[in-house]
Short mmCIF file of all heavy atoms in Angstrom, two decimals:
data_model
loop_
_atom_site.label_atom_id
_atom_site.label_comp_id
_atom_site.label_asym_id
_atom_site.label_seq_id
_atom_site.Cartn_x
_atom_site.Cartn_y
_atom_site.Cartn_z
N PHE A 213 98.78 105.26 90.81
CA PHE A 213 100.21 105.77 90.65
C PHE A 213 100.33 107.19 90.58
O PHE A 213 99.57 107.84 90.06
CB PHE A 213 100.99 104.92 89.59
CG PHE A 213 100.56 105.26 88.25
CD1 PHE A 213 101.21 106.28 87.45
CD2 PHE A 213 99.69 104.56 87.53
CE1 PHE A 213 100.87 106.61 86.12
CE2 PHE A 213 99.36 104.80 86.05
CZ PHE A 213 99.96 105.87 85.52
N PHE A 214 101.47 107.76 91.10
CA PHE A 214 101.81 109.20 90.96
C PHE A 214 102.63 109.38 89.77
O PHE A 214 103.64 108.65 89.48
CB PHE A 214 102.52 109.64 92.21
CG PHE A 214 101.56 110.02 93.34
CD1 PHE A 214 101.40 109.12 94.39
CD2 PHE A 214 100.92 111.17 93.29
CE1 PHE A 214 100.57 109.45 95.46
CE2 PHE A 214 100.10 111.52 94.32
CZ PHE A 214 99.87 110.67 95.34
N VAL A 215 102.18 110.34 88.91
CA VAL A 215 103.08 110.81 87.81
C VAL A 215 104.26 111.47 88.40
O VAL A 215 104.25 112.33 89.31
CB VAL A 215 102.34 111.70 86.92
CG1 VAL A 215 103.09 112.28 85.73
CG2 VAL A 215 101.12 110.96 86.30
N GLY A 216 105.55 111.08 87.86
CA GLY A 216 106.65 111.77 88.29
C GLY A 216 106.89 112.94 87.32
O GLY A 216 106.30 113.91 87.26
N LEU A 217 107.81 112.50 86.31
CA LEU A 217 108.07 113.43 85.26
C LEU A 217 106.84 113.61 84.38
O LEU A 217 106.22 112.65 83.99
CB LEU A 217 109.18 112.78 84.37
CG LEU A 217 109.97 113.62 83.43
CD1 LEU A 217 110.68 114.81 84.01
CD2 LEU A 217 110.99 112.77 82.65
N GLY A 218 106.48 114.81 84.12
CA GLY A 218 105.25 115.09 83.29
C GLY A 218 105.56 115.03 81.79
O GLY A 218 106.65 114.67 81.30
N ASN A 219 104.63 115.48 81.04
CA ASN A 219 104.82 115.71 79.62
C ASN A 219 104.32 117.11 79.12
O ASN A 219 103.46 117.66 79.72
CB ASN A 219 104.14 114.54 78.70
CG ASN A 219 102.69 114.48 78.95
OD1 ASN A 219 102.18 114.51 80.03
ND2 ASN A 219 101.94 114.56 77.87
N GLN A 220 104.89 117.56 78.06
CA GLN A 220 104.52 118.85 77.56
C GLN A 220 103.05 118.75 76.85
O GLN A 220 102.78 117.61 76.23
CB GLN A 220 105.54 119.31 76.54
CG GLN A 220 106.86 119.65 77.10
CD GLN A 220 106.80 120.97 77.91
OE1 GLN A 220 106.11 121.92 77.66
NE2 GLN A 220 107.57 120.79 79.10
N LEU A 221 102.36 119.78 76.96
CA LEU A 221 101.02 119.72 76.22
C LEU A 221 101.23 119.43 74.78
O LEU A 221 102.13 120.13 74.12
CB LEU A 221 100.41 121.18 76.47
CG LEU A 221 98.95 121.29 75.75
CD1 LEU A 221 97.94 120.36 76.50
CD2 LEU A 221 98.55 122.76 76.00
N GLY A 222 100.59 118.48 74.18
CA GLY A 222 100.73 118.15 72.81
C GLY A 222 101.76 117.09 72.51
O GLY A 222 101.79 116.58 71.42
N ALA A 223 102.44 116.48 73.57
CA ALA A 223 103.39 115.52 73.45
C ALA A 223 103.09 114.26 74.26
O ALA A 223 103.35 114.12 75.34
CB ALA A 223 104.80 116.05 73.80
N PRO A 224 102.36 113.35 73.48
CA PRO A 224 102.02 112.02 74.31
C PRO A 224 103.16 111.28 74.78
O PRO A 224 104.27 111.41 74.35
CB PRO A 224 101.32 111.21 73.12
CG PRO A 224 101.04 112.17 72.07
CD PRO A 224 102.01 113.32 72.10
N ILE A 225 102.95 110.59 75.86
CA ILE A 225 103.93 109.66 76.35
C ILE A 225 103.81 108.27 75.84
O ILE A 225 102.67 107.62 75.96
CB ILE A 225 103.85 109.48 78.00
CG1 ILE A 225 104.05 110.90 78.68
CG2 ILE A 225 104.74 108.46 78.60
CD1 ILE A 225 103.66 110.89 80.15
N PRO A 226 104.75 107.80 74.98
CA PRO A 226 104.63 106.47 74.52
C PRO A 226 104.52 105.41 75.62
O PRO A 226 105.18 105.54 76.55
CB PRO A 226 105.85 106.34 73.66
CG PRO A 226 106.51 107.72 73.45
CD PRO A 226 105.98 108.43 74.71
N ALA A 227 103.74 104.27 75.31
CA ALA A 227 103.63 103.22 76.39
C ALA A 227 105.06 102.65 76.63
O ALA A 227 105.28 102.36 77.80
CB ALA A 227 102.75 102.11 75.86
N THR A 228 105.98 102.67 75.65
CA THR A 228 107.27 102.15 75.87
C THR A 228 108.17 102.98 76.83
O THR A 228 109.22 102.53 77.22
CB THR A 228 107.97 101.99 74.54
OG1 THR A 228 107.92 103.19 73.82
CG2 THR A 228 107.43 100.83 73.74
N GLU A 229 107.77 104.27 77.05
CA GLU A 229 108.57 105.10 77.94
C GLU A 229 107.86 105.40 79.23
O GLU A 229 108.19 106.29 80.03
CB GLU A 229 108.79 106.49 77.17
CG GLU A 229 109.70 106.31 75.99
CD GLU A 229 109.89 107.59 75.24
OE1 GLU A 229 109.56 108.71 75.65
OE2 GLU A 229 110.17 107.49 74.01
N ALA A 230 106.93 104.49 79.60
CA ALA A 230 106.01 104.78 80.86
C ALA A 230 106.92 104.84 81.98
O ALA A 230 106.68 105.60 82.98
CB ALA A 230 104.96 103.72 80.94
N ALA A 231 107.95 103.84 82.17
CA ALA A 231 108.60 103.72 83.40
C ALA A 231 109.32 105.05 83.82
O ALA A 231 109.53 105.35 85.02
CB ALA A 231 109.67 102.58 83.24
N GLY A 232 109.68 105.90 82.87
CA GLY A 232 110.34 107.11 83.22
C GLY A 232 109.37 108.19 83.87
O GLY A 232 109.82 109.14 84.31
N HIS A 233 108.14 107.87 83.70
CA HIS A 233 107.01 108.82 84.21
C HIS A 233 106.33 108.37 85.42
O HIS A 233 105.46 109.15 85.99
CB HIS A 233 106.10 109.15 83.05
CG HIS A 233 106.75 109.82 81.84
ND1 HIS A 233 106.80 111.17 81.71
CD2 HIS A 233 107.32 109.32 80.76
CE1 HIS A 233 107.48 111.44 80.66
NE2 HIS A 233 107.79 110.32 80.03
N ILE A 234 106.48 107.20 85.88
CA ILE A 234 105.74 106.60 86.96
C ILE A 234 106.66 106.65 88.22
O ILE A 234 107.62 105.95 88.45
CB ILE A 234 105.23 105.28 86.70
CG1 ILE A 234 104.43 105.13 85.48
CG2 ILE A 234 104.60 104.63 87.97
CD1 ILE A 234 103.94 103.75 85.01
N PHE A 235 106.21 107.61 89.17
CA PHE A 235 107.05 107.69 90.46
C PHE A 235 106.93 106.43 91.29
O PHE A 235 107.89 105.97 91.91
CB PHE A 235 106.74 109.01 91.14
CG PHE A 235 107.57 109.11 92.41
CD1 PHE A 235 108.85 109.54 92.41
CD2 PHE A 235 106.79 109.08 93.61
CE1 PHE A 235 109.55 109.64 93.60
CE2 PHE A 235 107.55 109.16 94.83
CZ PHE A 235 108.86 109.48 94.85
N GLY A 236 105.61 106.16 91.60
CA GLY A 236 105.40 105.01 92.54
C GLY A 236 103.87 104.88 92.77
O GLY A 236 103.09 105.63 92.27
N LEU A 237 103.65 103.93 93.59
CA LEU A 237 102.16 103.49 93.77
C LEU A 237 101.75 103.61 95.23
O LEU A 237 102.52 103.47 96.22
CB LEU A 237 102.08 101.98 93.41
CG LEU A 237 101.99 101.64 91.88
CD1 LEU A 237 103.35 101.76 91.21
CD2 LEU A 237 101.45 100.27 91.67
N VAL A 238 100.41 103.78 95.45
CA VAL A 238 99.78 103.77 96.68
C VAL A 238 98.45 102.99 96.59
O VAL A 238 97.95 102.64 95.53
CB VAL A 238 99.37 105.23 97.13
CG1 VAL A 238 100.65 106.15 97.44
CG2 VAL A 238 98.49 105.95 96.01
N LEU A 239 97.81 102.71 97.69
CA LEU A 239 96.53 102.07 97.77
C LEU A 239 95.57 103.20 97.73
O LEU A 239 95.81 104.34 98.18
CB LEU A 239 96.33 101.40 99.14
CG LEU A 239 97.27 100.29 99.43
CD1 LEU A 239 97.23 99.95 100.96
CD2 LEU A 239 96.94 99.09 98.71
N VAL A 240 94.44 102.93 97.01
CA VAL A 240 93.40 103.89 96.76
C VAL A 240 92.00 103.33 97.22
O VAL A 240 91.63 102.26 96.77
CB VAL A 240 93.32 104.40 95.29
CG1 VAL A 240 92.24 105.36 95.12
CG2 VAL A 240 94.67 104.94 94.91
N ASN A 241 91.22 104.03 97.92
CA ASN A 241 89.80 103.74 98.24
C ASN A 241 88.98 104.74 97.58
O ASN A 241 88.89 105.88 98.01
CB ASN A 241 89.50 103.62 99.71
CG ASN A 241 88.14 103.16 99.90
OD1 ASN A 241 87.25 103.14 99.00
ND2 ASN A 241 87.73 102.87 101.18
N ASP A 242 88.35 104.46 96.50
CA ASP A 242 87.45 105.39 95.74
C ASP A 242 86.09 105.22 96.29
O ASP A 242 85.20 104.39 95.79
CB ASP A 242 87.53 105.03 94.25
CG ASP A 242 86.57 105.73 93.39
OD1 ASP A 242 86.28 106.91 93.71
OD2 ASP A 242 86.12 105.32 92.37
N TRP A 243 85.83 105.86 97.42
CA TRP A 243 84.47 105.80 98.09
C TRP A 243 83.36 106.13 97.03
O TRP A 243 83.51 107.02 96.28
CB TRP A 243 84.38 106.78 99.18
CG TRP A 243 85.39 106.71 100.26
CD1 TRP A 243 86.57 107.39 100.32
CD2 TRP A 243 85.34 105.71 101.42
NE1 TRP A 243 87.18 106.95 101.53
CE2 TRP A 243 86.63 105.97 102.03
CE3 TRP A 243 84.51 104.75 101.82
CZ2 TRP A 243 86.91 105.33 103.30
CZ3 TRP A 243 84.74 104.04 102.97
CH2 TRP A 243 86.03 104.36 103.74
N SER A 244 82.22 105.38 97.04
CA SER A 244 81.24 105.50 95.96
C SER A 244 79.86 105.39 96.58
O SER A 244 79.56 104.47 97.30
CB SER A 244 81.44 104.42 94.87
OG SER A 244 82.75 104.36 94.40
N ALA A 245 79.01 106.27 96.21
CA ALA A 245 77.62 106.22 96.59
C ALA A 245 76.78 105.67 95.44
O ALA A 245 76.50 106.35 94.46
CB ALA A 245 77.10 107.71 96.97
N ARG A 246 76.52 104.25 95.60
CA ARG A 246 75.89 103.57 94.38
C ARG A 246 74.59 104.12 94.03
O ARG A 246 74.16 104.06 92.68
CB ARG A 246 75.80 102.12 94.69
CG ARG A 246 77.14 101.45 95.07
CD ARG A 246 78.14 101.52 93.91
NE ARG A 246 79.38 100.88 94.26
CZ ARG A 246 80.52 101.08 93.57
NH1 ARG A 246 80.51 101.77 92.52
NH2 ARG A 246 81.67 100.39 93.93
N ASP A 247 73.69 104.53 94.95
CA ASP A 247 72.43 105.04 94.64
C ASP A 247 72.40 106.34 93.88
O ASP A 247 71.68 106.53 92.96
CB ASP A 247 71.45 105.04 95.81
CG ASP A 247 72.12 105.58 97.06
OD1 ASP A 247 73.28 106.11 97.03
OD2 ASP A 247 71.48 105.66 98.07
N ILE A 248 73.38 107.16 94.33
CA ILE A 248 73.50 108.45 93.59
C ILE A 248 74.08 108.17 92.16
O ILE A 248 73.64 108.83 91.18
CB ILE A 248 74.46 109.45 94.38
CG1 ILE A 248 73.76 109.76 95.79
CG2 ILE A 248 74.80 110.63 93.62
CD1 ILE A 248 74.64 110.53 96.70
N GLN A 249 75.09 107.30 92.18
CA GLN A 249 75.79 106.96 90.93
C GLN A 249 74.77 106.45 89.87
O GLN A 249 74.71 106.85 88.66
CB GLN A 249 76.84 105.87 91.21
CG GLN A 249 77.60 105.51 89.94
CD GLN A 249 78.66 104.53 90.29
OE1 GLN A 249 78.90 104.18 91.46
NE2 GLN A 249 79.51 103.99 89.26
N ARG A 250 73.88 105.57 90.32
CA ARG A 250 72.86 104.99 89.41
C ARG A 250 71.98 105.90 88.68
O ARG A 250 71.62 105.77 87.52
CB ARG A 250 72.07 103.89 90.27
CG ARG A 250 71.32 102.97 89.35
CD ARG A 250 70.61 101.98 90.17
NE ARG A 250 69.50 101.25 89.43
CZ ARG A 250 69.78 100.28 88.61
NH1 ARG A 250 71.10 99.92 88.26
NH2 ARG A 250 68.78 99.70 87.96
N TRP A 251 71.57 107.02 89.52
CA TRP A 251 70.64 107.98 88.86
C TRP A 251 71.35 109.12 88.03
O TRP A 251 70.85 109.53 87.11
CB TRP A 251 69.87 108.59 90.12
CG TRP A 251 69.00 109.81 89.82
CD1 TRP A 251 69.03 111.03 90.54
CD2 TRP A 251 67.98 109.94 88.86
NE1 TRP A 251 68.14 111.85 90.11
CE2 TRP A 251 67.40 111.31 88.99
CE3 TRP A 251 67.40 109.14 87.91
CZ2 TRP A 251 66.35 111.79 88.27
CZ3 TRP A 251 66.36 109.56 87.10
CH2 TRP A 251 65.81 110.91 87.31
N GLU A 252 72.64 109.24 88.36
CA GLU A 252 73.28 110.47 87.70
C GLU A 252 74.18 110.07 86.53
O GLU A 252 74.63 110.90 85.77
CB GLU A 252 74.13 111.28 88.73
CG GLU A 252 75.42 110.49 89.13
CD GLU A 252 76.41 111.35 89.92
OE1 GLU A 252 76.08 112.42 90.32
OE2 GLU A 252 77.42 110.78 90.23
#
Side-chain angles (χ1 to χ4, degrees):
F213 69 87
F214 276 101
V215 174
L217 196 61
N219 60 310
Q220 294 292 316
L221 184 64
I225 298 172
T228 49
E229 291 174 22
H233 297 269
I234 298 173
F235 176 74
L237 283 73
V238 292
L239 300 163
V240 178
N241 181 351
D242 176 28
W243 304 98
S244 300
R246 301 299 180 192
D247 43 2
I248 295 172
Q249 184 177 356
R250 192 175 165 78
W251 171 230
E252 74 171 4

